[in-house]
Amino acid sequence: MAYSFTDMTQVGSMQINSGVQTIFSGINIDSTLTDSNCTVMTLNVTGRGAVDYNYSSVSPDMLDGELFQSLTLKPRQLQVEMMISAKDNATLRRKFEQLNVMLRKSDIAAIQFTDENDRYYYGVYTGWDNPKEDANELVFTLEFNCSNPFKYSAEKTIAYNNSAVLTVNSDYPTKPYIEVSYSGTSTTLDIINTTTNKTIKLSGLNPSVEKIYKIDVSRNSILKASTNIDGFTNLVITSDWEDFKIKTGDQIVITPAPASTLIKYKGVFL
């Protein structure tokens, strides 16, 4: 935090500038709720550091110690400490009404912090620490549950040349969106990651009419043509759909060779 003070001969004022602001579902809570009558500020965020794991083991009879079974990531819990300072009680109450509108979501939403502005967490608001409300200035903590502990970058785009070596800005393999333009005669389309030997195969196509195929592994969707016809029925059952991912160093080969290929992805980080 940085503090600035006026000269003692003048009317004093103090400004506190936080190094981080909270963005929930695309709305900056700090800047949206702050005005001439009220200051809302993120003071601290915890839960963005090291992650926790679920450890599973068994203790068989006649065996010292345990037998390891599995290790999986726990959900990520984010705690956002905030301050609200209002000129009067009516302003304070109205700001909390507006905050409740921002936080009320029926589905998982993106959570972002301005000191980490190319990383997105995905979670839901679950509650707060319910401090004593006996003043017009309160410090409170909002709690968010991220069932998926990973965080993601903004979407990246690659104009891909068939069989080129990929450079992917991600710590972990990520599920891509692959847009293929093809208007040839083959009724099948094979997309092969030659590094992992994972394949997506489409059959029963009409490329002279459809011309474009949008394979979105991350969203579990396949669309055809400019009118976005559902193409999931064209997916061959032996495809490695659930396991098809990309990372730096991989090569994607599309057969028959397309006119152009566009790959989009979100980097995965922990």
Side-chain angles (χ1 to χ4, degrees):
M1 295 182 186
Y3 297 84
S4 61
F5 299 90
T6 59
D7 187 85
M8 291 297 292
T9 61
Q10 301 177 6
V11 177
S13 67
M14 181 177 69
Q15 293 180 338
I16 305 175
N17 299 313
S18 174
V20 58
Q21 296 180 352
T22 301
I23 303 170
F24 183 66
S25 192
I27 300 174
N28 187 313
I29 293 176
D30 300 55
S31 62
T32 301
L33 292 180
T34 295
D35 56 29
S36 59
N37 296 320
C38 183
T39 297
V40 176
M41 180 186 306
T42 300
L43 301 177
N44 187 41
V45 180
T46 57
R48 294 187 290 170
V51 294
D52 294 327
Y53 287 82
N54 293 304
Y55 172 80
S56 176
S57 64
V58 293
S59 301
D61 293 339
M62 308 299 292
L63 180 70
D64 295 331
E66 298 176 329
L67 286 180
F68 170 78
Q69 285 189 315
S70 64
L71 197 66
T72 58
L73 286 165
K74 289 184 177 181
R76 188 186 289 270
Q77 307 293 330
L78 298 176
Q79 294 84 36
V80 180
E81 185 182 37
M82 305 195 77
M83 181 195 74
I84 182 168
S85 180
K87 72 170 186 176
D88 53 37
N89 186 260
T91 301
L92 181 76
R93 296 301 159 202
R94 180 56 184 153
K95 292 299 179 181
F96 271 115
E97 289 175 344
Q98 294 171 332
L99 177 62
N100 284 330
V101 171
M102 295 177 190
L103 297 175
R104 183 177 171 82
K105 302 295 178 184
S106 59
D107 204 352
I108 291 172
I111 306 167
Q112 190 181 8
F113 303 100
T114 54
D115 65 341
E116 196 181 18
N117 58 15
D118 192 37
R119 298 289 186 268
Y120 295 81
Y121 303 83
Y122 290 89
V124 294
Y125 167 71
T126 57
W128 71 324
D129 59 344
N130 199 24
K132 189 175 182 180
E133 300 178 38
D134 57 354
N136 294 330
E137 181 172 298
L138 297 176
V139 174
F140 58 93
T141 300
L142 303 178
E143 297 179 359
F144 298 88
N145 181 282
C146 301
S147 55
N148 180 350
F150 289 94
K151 50 188 173 181
Y152 297 85
S153 72
E155 189 172 73
K156 313 293 183 183
T157 301
I158 301 172
Y160 188 66
N161 294 319
N162 204 16
S163 77
V165 177
L166 281 167
T167 298
V168 179
N169 182 17
S170 180
D171 286 345
Y172 297 89
T174 181
K175 293 184 176 182
Y177 166 95
I178 302 175
E179 185 174 304
V180 177
S181 296
Y182 174 69
S183 56
T185 58
S186 176
T187 59
T188 64
L189 193 67
D190 291 338
I191 302 173
I192 306 170
N193 184 332
T194 61
T195 308
T196 62
N197 290 320
K198 301 300 182 183
T199 302
I200 294 174
K201 185 180 183 68
L202 305 181
S203 65
L205 305 178
N206 186 3
S208 62
V209 174
E210 295 160 349
K211 299 183 185 298
I212 188 168
Y213 301 93
K214 304 170 185 178
I215 298 98
D216 195 341
V217 184
S218 64
R219 293 184 175 87
N220 209 37
S221 169
I222 299 175
L223 300 174
K224 304 183 297 183
S226 59
T227 53
N228 291 330
I229 301 168
D230 184 10
F232 215 87
T233 56
N234 298 101
L235 180 68
V236 176
I237 194 170
T238 55
S239 298
D240 302 299
W241 181 258
E242 293 293 334
D243 298 320
F244 195 93
K245 297 179 180 180
I246 59 172
K247 64 182 186 304
T248 293
D250 286 355
Q251 290 178 290
I252 306 298
V253 175
I254 301 173
T255 307
S260 65
T261 304
L262 194 69
I263 295 178
K264 297 181 182 181
Y265 71 92
K266 291 182 179 181
V268 183
F269 303 89
L270 194 57

